[in-house]
Amino acid sequence: MFKLKSLGLSILAASVVFHSQALASVPEGVLNDFTNFYFWQVNPEMSNRNIKSHQTQYKKEWLAIKEVLKYRMVWMELPRCYADEGDYGYEIEDYGETIRAITDAVFYVRRPELKGRKIRLSETYLIR
């Protein structure tokens, strides 16, 4: 009896682990949609447009935003302000922190000479 109970718990535990891992990986299409949304917020002139092969700066920014979002999206019950009660989907885990991280990522893509260092108080042109 003990072995059967133990086996049942092991199967249940394995099922939970595999289910969590499946949800931990955001589908590429969902991640791309979120990336597009935030990219278009940063670059409204590109809204609903595809990045052309010669637009390397835009491509770098898009990839930086995608990298930020990749590990910040979670499967959760969606807020009732734009979904029915009990609807689930992917959403940003910590919105404020994510916006800060996107801002930093785009800034450092645009200013690669800084190599990720913080802005000095005397660098007012960068602060603006």
Side-chain angles (χ1 to χ4, degrees):
M1 176 72 170
F2 178 70
K3 286 185 179 183
L4 289 177
K5 211 182 235 187
S6 176
L7 177 63
L9 290 175
S10 296
I11 291 171
L12 178 63
S15 164
V16 168
V17 168
F18 288 130
H19 183 66
S20 297
Q21 287 174 345
L23 292 179
S25 178
V26 179
E28 194 70 18
V30 172
L31 183 56
N32 289 344
D33 288 346
F34 272 79
T35 302
N36 285 338
F37 174 79
Y38 288 104
F39 174 77
W40 294 332
Q41 299 305 303
V42 174
N43 299 290
E45 70 281 5
M46 290 295 293
S47 187
N48 294 312
R49 292 182 168 167
N50 291 325
I51 300 170
K52 307 285 188 226
S53 60
H54 68 279
Q55 296 174 310
T56 56
Q57 186 64 29
Y58 283 139
K59 184 67 172 174
K60 288 176 186 176
E61 289 180 21
W62 191 90
L63 289 171
I65 293 168
K66 183 176 183 179
E67 190 63 27
V68 168
L69 294 174
K70 187 187 313 183
Y71 301 107
R72 295 174 183 270
M73 296 183 67
V74 294
W75 182 258
M76 63 183 281
E77 185 172 2
L78 298 173
R80 291 191 53 184
C81 59
Y82 61 85
D84 293 332
E85 184 175 357
D87 283 353
Y88 281 78
Y90 286 96
E91 195 54 63
I92 302 298
E93 186 170 30
D94 182 346
Y95 183 77
E97 181 62 26
T98 299
I99 295 302
R100 187 198 61 74
I102 288 171
T103 303
D104 286 351
V106 170
F107 177 80
Y108 289 114
V109 165
R110 290 181 181 179
R111 304 301 276 188
E113 72 277 8
L114 295 177
K115 297 181 174 125
R117 78 163 171 79
K118 294 187 183 233
I119 301 171
R120 296 183 185 111
L121 288 175
S122 62
E123 297 174 313
T124 55
Y125 65 100
L126 292 174
I127 295 168
R128 275 181 269 152

